[in-house]
Amino acid sequence: MQKNPAQLQARSRKYARIDFALIALCLAANAILAYLIVRESSLYSVFVSCILFGLSYAIHLSFAHGLFKLPKARLVEFGSTQKIGRYQAGEIYLMMRELLAPHRGKEQPRTYITFQKYDGAFVLNSLLFNFVKPLNAVYISQHLFQILKPGEIKAILAHELAHFYEYIRPLSRVRFALMGFNALFPIYLSLDAGSISFWQAFLIWLAFSLLFNFSVNTWLGRTSRDHEHLCDLSAARRYGVLNIANGLFGVCKTAEIQAQLYKALLQRIRNDNTLSIDQLDELLFRCENELPAKAIGQKDIQRLVSNILASPQSQQIRKPLNAQQQAKEDQLIQKAIDRLLLDRDFKLLDWKRFDFVIPDGRLNHAEYERLVRTLDASPQHQLFNIATDNVRESKSSTHPTVAQRILFLENARLLDPSIPI
């Protein structure tokens, strides 16, 4: 049974109201706890409290460390004629102006171009730290400008801006307050007549942090899939169902190629006693740099991997492994395969059943109609050979499968014929 857009929007508003109440409660609790701790504590207790407070925020900000290290550049740093994929920076700037036009007078996110092929597109929106530019921004991979058409790029960015302006949980924007409670409550529980034991306080903090962060992530995850559907719908209203669908195809095809590269390299490393899994990232990087912009198949990937492993650069990093080292390598490789679900045999739809007019991995109007009928007939099959596109594996994921997203948009279009195809 397909989800009704109106029901999802009502559910989103309900959770937003609850979040605002929780934010007020959390801020009040933080103020009371801070007052009680300072009033009852000795100097040493305050020192221990500061350490645990710092640890809580270090965990919270750990993601920001990777974000700041992410190879990227702001769109405004490019010259207007400088190439980003197949487009000039000036063209992308005009796209962003068009996308942001309905949001004049509101906060404007910065636009970052990321240089890693598999970054896709995502958005960050902090409430009180919005003066930190990377924390209030929309990010999009340079690679998407190489493989997507203008309407598809606009649809992907419209989806991300829908997150930025509407479909983002208020509680996720104030994690600083949550981390404050994460530190203050265990500290208060650890106080004993104004004194505190560091290790007792640390163990209480550790146990509470695991429980608290799991609870927060579970609570925020309740609407994540709903928000993905609603952001797709927002993008489809502006740029059409086909553009958002073809944009999703481009993003997922890139992820599928990455998974196939990982699998091919891991298999070759396992069967070669002169290569180590420690060299996987280097070999993957070199394979990615040699990938053509056009779509490629499994045979092309195997040929590419063979060429990379036969290159002089690969000969320089080869080092014979003894039996013990080989056994350890085999265990590490199997763990990587299990973690990435690379050995699963997924049931895939045959694209020839619907991509028949121009078999290019994207759909026109007639092909889209055939795809919808195919998805209705085979609901358990998937479009891409990746775990995140599998119905069972994606149940605990923040994103629905591509098939689920397309069927939701088709249902919305049937309910509201004004949504363009």
Side-chain angles (χ1 to χ4, degrees):
M1 181 178 178
Q2 288 300 317
K3 297 179 179 179
N4 186 298
Q7 292 175 339
L8 295 191
Q9 288 170 339
R11 176 179 159 90
S12 177
R13 289 192 293 268
K14 182 186 79 170
Y15 275 90
R17 290 193 295 269
I18 297 173
D19 277 1
F20 282 121
L22 289 174
I23 291 169
L25 187 63
C26 185
L27 291 174
N30 285 350
I32 294 170
L33 288 169
Y35 170 75
L36 293 174
I37 290 169
V38 172
R39 189 186 69 175
E40 299 178 11
S41 296
S42 63
L43 187 61
Y44 176 72
S45 300
V46 172
F47 173 70
V48 172
S49 301
C50 290
I51 293 176
L52 297 181
F53 208 77
L55 284 172
S56 295
Y57 277 92
I59 292 172
H60 171 52
L61 295 174
S62 59
F63 88 95
H65 176 69
L67 180 68
F68 285 109
K69 287 181 64 179
L70 181 70
K72 62 185 182 300
R74 287 189 67 188
L75 179 59
V76 294
E77 295 173 10
F78 291 86
S80 61
T81 58
Q82 191 172 348
K83 282 284 189 177
I84 302 175
R86 295 188 292 113
Y87 300 85
Q88 292 184 346
E91 295 177 282
I92 299 172
Y93 178 77
L94 291 176
M95 288 184 194
M96 288 305 300
R97 282 190 61 181
E98 177 186 323
L99 284 156
L100 292 170
H103 307 290
R104 286 195 182 99
K106 300 178 182 177
E107 183 178 14
Q108 303 284 292
R110 291 84 174 177
T111 305
Y112 283 92
I113 308 298
T114 63
F115 302 126
Q116 295 182 165
K117 186 166 289 186
Y118 303 110
D119 289 335
F122 60 96
V123 69
L124 293 175
N125 187 357
S126 174
L127 185 61
L128 292 187
F129 292 94
N130 53 4
F131 58 89
V132 181
K133 294 178 181 178
L135 297 184
N136 263 55
V138 57
Y139 294 80
I140 184 167
S141 169
Q142 178 180 244
H143 177 65
L144 295 184
F145 291 103
Q146 184 67 42
I147 63 173
L148 298 184
K149 295 180 178 180
E152 296 161 3
I153 292 171
K154 290 178 186 177
I156 292 294
L157 288 170
H159 171 103
E160 298 305 327
L161 289 174
H163 277 302
F164 187 89
Y165 285 110
E166 189 170 4
Y167 300 115
I168 186 169
R169 291 286 293 274
L171 199 62
S172 70
R173 299 184 64 198
V174 292
R175 294 228 176 206
F176 71 94
L178 296 175
M179 291 305 102
F181 184 76
N182 187 168
L184 292 169
F185 188 65
I187 292 168
Y188 179 74
L189 292 178
S190 305
L191 287 175
D192 182 14
S195 63
I196 194 170
S197 165
F198 174 78
W199 288 112
Q200 179 186 355
F202 177 77
L203 291 174
I204 293 175
W205 169 82
L206 184 62
F208 182 76
S209 294
L210 293 172
L211 177 63
F212 182 69
N213 283 287
F214 174 79
S215 301
V216 169
N217 290 332
T218 300
W219 171 251
L220 293 176
R222 287 190 171 192
T223 56
S224 57
R225 293 166 72 90
D226 294 350
H227 283 177
E228 291 303 319
H229 283 311
L230 292 171
C231 288
D232 285 344
L233 180 59
S234 178
R237 289 188 186 280
R238 291 191 68 181
Y239 296 105
V241 173
L242 280 179
N243 277 324
I244 187 64
N246 286 325
L248 289 172
F249 290 165
V251 173
C252 291
K253 186 62 181 176
T254 302
E256 185 180 55
I257 291 172
Q258 183 191 34
Q260 291 172 346
L261 274 176
Y262 262 111
K263 185 174 182 178
L265 282 169
L266 286 170
Q267 288 173 340
R268 295 296 186 90
I269 292 171
R270 169 176 270 175
N271 297 327
D272 191 327
N273 64 357
T274 64
L275 292 172
S276 168
I277 195 172
D278 294 336
Q279 296 150 349
L280 177 63
D281 288 340
E282 178 186 346
L283 293 171
L284 183 65
F285 178 75
R286 287 168 52 200
C287 287
E288 290 172 359
N289 286 339
E290 296 297 324
L291 280 174
K294 64 179 182 179
I296 61 174
Q298 186 63 41
K299 290 183 179 179
D300 299 311
I301 289 175
Q302 294 292 345
R303 191 180 304 114
L304 171 63
V305 169
S306 296
N307 292 338
I308 291 296
L309 294 181
S311 68
Q313 286 176 286
S314 296
Q315 301 305 319
Q316 293 175 3
I317 64 174
R318 290 179 180 273
K319 183 180 178 182
L321 304 175
N322 59 38
Q324 185 178 0
Q325 291 172 322
Q326 188 69 23
K328 184 178 179 181
E329 285 287 315
D330 194 64
Q331 291 178 352
L332 293 173
I333 289 170
Q334 190 58 49
K335 284 182 180 179
I337 290 174
D338 292 340
R339 176 171 52 85
L340 299 171
L341 303 176
L342 297 178
D343 58 347
R344 298 294 179 90
D345 185 21
F346 297 123
K347 294 180 180 179
L348 300 179
L349 289 171
D350 183 1
W351 279 65
K352 293 177 183 177
R353 293 169 62 182
F354 45 86
D355 190 14
F356 62 95
V357 178
I358 303 176
D360 57 353
R362 51 170 43 95
L363 305 181
N364 60 27
H365 190 289
E367 292 171 330
Y368 170 79
E369 299 292 345
R370 181 79 67 87
L371 169 63
V372 171
R373 291 197 296 271
T374 303
L375 293 176
D376 281 332
S378 307
Q380 295 304 314
H381 287 57
Q382 59 194 75
L383 288 162
F384 297 95
N385 192 20
I386 48 178
T388 52
D389 201 38
N390 180 265
V391 173
R392 180 187 296 178
E393 300 296 342
S394 68
K395 276 186 178 179
S396 59
S397 170
T398 58
H399 287 62
T401 66
V402 176
Q404 289 170 338
R405 295 169 79 160
I406 289 172
L407 289 175
F408 171 81
L409 290 174
E410 177 61 14
N411 181 58
R413 194 170 71 89
L414 293 175
L415 294 172
D416 182 3
S418 67
I419 299 172
I421 184 65

